[in-house]
Amino acid sequence: MKSTPLTYSRPAAGAGRRHALKALSASLLLGTALSMGAGGAWAQESPQAAIAGHTGPDREQFLAKGAKEEGQLMIYTSAPVDDMAALAKAFEEKYGVKVRMWRAGSEKVLQRTVTEGHAGRFDVDIVETNGPELEALHREGLLQEVKSPYLADLIPEAILPHKEWISTRLNIFAAAYNTNLIKKEDVPGSYEELLDPKWKGKLGIEAEDADWFAGVVKNMGEEKGLQLFRDIVEKNGISVRKGHTLLTNLVASGEVPMALTVYNYKAEQLKNKGAPLEWFTFNPAIARPNGVAMTKKAPHPHAAALFFDFMLSDAQEILLKRDFVPTSTKVETNLNKMPIKFVDPSVILDENQKWTGLYEEIFTRQSK
């Protein structure tokens, strides 16, 4: 069975993810009040909760039978089109359930899900997007906990205390350098070493990595961390580029000798294709979780719970083959063999204005 074509909606021109989250904060507060009003209707166990909570030994057969009768599944996602299509195809071929998808940027996925939910329109079964946006949907009361047996296979950090969304893959921030321009023995072992004058004019960073910055600085101690990065930029300058893939390619070409925030899977991918590039992480590595959630009013609950389980099991190997960093301990990869500290989605939601402001002040406005 073939996947249906994906609908792609581009964010408005100039609308960055950090600004979208900031703009949404007021509406999310209003939405929370509205969802509290609707909470009475959801207080008793719903059919969706009963299906998602089925834990018998026949769980897969139970969900697969119900999903086949429902006939389809609707996913809102911000994942790349070809990657999500590969997952959909594998699910369709295994279970015979048609997958429909709407694809947009993570902020648009959040906006559409919240708007429809508070309007009483429930079309979406599964949301697959970035951690902060999923955490916002949890706060809105729009997500359903799924008691998947595959939770036991995941790294502990992938499971949120409320369990209403689960991390399925990671974007691990790494530093990357051009091996024709920088010797391995000169690679810094700490951020403090970037104060050395030899790094003047050689550093680059992505334009919207305030969540990485918050994680690093909080780990160092806020006062110390902020001063350190101010000093690094003042002494040696920094080039700010928009897009992690672009930044990684600029390292490979030599235009940016060393970048502080690329995704390690992309750097590994280019390295394996022969690019003069190597990556490393400062300890601990900061990781941004991406995840999956079932909606509380999913119109196809059997299919939704089944796809949720699929994302934590069969899909993990597919994600690895497509150069992602999966969260299952059943899948072996050298891309997560380092101490990892997760970006706290709550920090991005509650302190977004603070950290985006600091990021712009220290990096973007001082870009050289």
Side-chain angles (χ1 to χ4, degrees):
M1 184 178 294
K2 295 183 179 180
S3 302
T4 55
L6 305 189
T7 301
Y8 176 65
S9 173
R10 294 184 181 275
R17 175 171 171 266
R18 66 187 191 276
H19 298 302
L21 283 172
K22 186 189 299 184
L24 277 169
S25 60
S27 64
L28 289 176
L29 287 173
L30 173 60
T32 298
L34 292 173
S35 64
M36 287 175 65
W42 292 352
Q44 297 180 346
E45 186 174 59
S46 65
Q48 288 86 349
I51 291 166
H54 184 85
T55 57
D58 65 335
R59 176 181 171 88
E60 184 175 10
Q61 293 80 3
F62 166 76
L63 294 177
K65 181 177 183 294
K68 194 70 177 292
E69 292 172 355
E70 292 164 353
Q72 62 178 304
L73 173 75
M74 182 66 187
I75 302 173
Y76 290 176
T77 181
S78 60
V81 172
D82 56 342
D83 296 311
M84 206 62 199
L87 293 169
K89 180 180 178 182
F91 181 77
E92 288 178 339
E93 290 178 347
K94 183 171 184 177
Y95 295 111
V97 178
K98 183 178 181 180
V99 177
R100 298 169 54 234
M101 284 183 273
W102 180 80
R103 196 271 177 192
S106 58
E107 71 280 359
K108 293 293 186 182
V109 169
L110 171 59
Q111 288 174 333
R112 179 167 177 168
T113 308
V114 169
T115 300
E116 291 181 351
H118 294 315
R121 176 181 171 184
F122 304 106
D123 293 336
V124 59
D125 298 295
I126 289 287
V127 179
E128 196 284 342
T129 191
N130 296 336
E133 283 80 358
L134 287 170
E135 186 66 17
L137 292 176
H138 155 68
R139 294 185 180 189
E140 290 295 285
L142 295 173
L143 302 182
Q144 172 62 54
E145 179 184 352
V146 180
K147 297 186 183 299
S148 174
Y150 299 106
L151 292 174
D153 297 337
L154 306 184
I155 59 175
E157 296 88 347
I159 304 171
L160 282 295
H162 52 69
K163 298 181 181 178
E164 287 192 353
W165 67 270
I166 301 296
S167 176
T168 55
R169 55 191 173 92
L170 306 176
N171 287 324
I172 297 179
F173 292 100
Y177 63 95
N178 185 291
T179 54
N180 291 334
L181 301 175
I182 295 173
K183 298 177 181 178
K184 184 175 181 179
E185 55 266 31
D186 290 334
V187 170
S190 67
Y191 289 109
E192 285 81 1
E193 291 182 33
L194 295 176
L195 290 168
D196 192 305
K198 70 182 179 183
W199 297 112
K200 188 174 183 66
K202 295 181 179 180
L203 302 177
I205 200 167
E206 206 280 330
E208 296 188 347
D209 282 338
D211 46 359
W212 161 84
F213 189 52
V216 170
V217 169
K218 283 177 174 287
N219 190 64
M220 287 183 176
E222 193 166 318
E223 183 176 351
K224 174 185 175 182
L226 290 175
Q227 189 58 54
L228 173 63
F229 282 101
R230 286 191 175 102
D231 291 344
I232 290 170
V233 174
E234 181 181 353
K235 290 177 182 294
N236 293 324
I238 199 156
S239 175
V240 178
R241 306 301 178 99
K242 184 169 174 55
H244 296 94
T245 298
L246 171 64
L247 183 58
T248 311
N249 280 313
L250 291 176
V251 173
S253 71
E255 184 172 335
V256 176
M258 187 166 81
L260 301 184
T261 58
V262 303
Y263 293 148
N264 70 339
Y265 79 85
K266 180 56 66 176
E268 181 75 3
Q269 188 179 59
L270 292 185
K271 171 187 168 183
N272 291 337
K273 290 180 179 178
L277 176 149
E278 187 57 86
W279 64 270
F280 66 98
T281 57
F282 294 100
N283 197 7
I286 303 297
R288 175 191 293 152
N290 288 64
V292 65
M294 173 179 170
T295 59
K296 188 164 283 190
K297 292 289 187 178
H300 310 104
H302 293 88
L306 188 64
F307 188 82
F308 188 98
D309 284 2
F310 173 81
M311 286 297 293
L312 305 187
S313 54
D314 293 20
Q316 293 289 292
E317 189 68 40
I318 298 172
L319 289 169
L320 178 63
K321 290 178 180 177
R322 300 187 71 84
D323 299 312
F324 290 103
V325 184
T327 57
S328 174
T329 60
K330 300 292 186 180
V331 178
E332 282 295 319
T333 173
N334 68 340
L335 296 177
N336 61 6
K337 296 294 190 287
M338 75 284 286
I340 296 173
K341 180 179 178 65
F342 271 38
V343 168
D344 184 349
S346 297
V347 170
I348 304 307
L349 292 177
D350 298 332
E351 303 179 25
N352 179 65
Q353 187 170 358
K354 170 185 174 179
W355 289 104
T356 55
L358 286 167
Y359 198 82
E360 290 173 354
E361 172 205 331
I362 294 173
F363 297 111
T364 308
R365 296 174 194 161
Q366 307 303 322
S367 178
K368 298 178 182 178

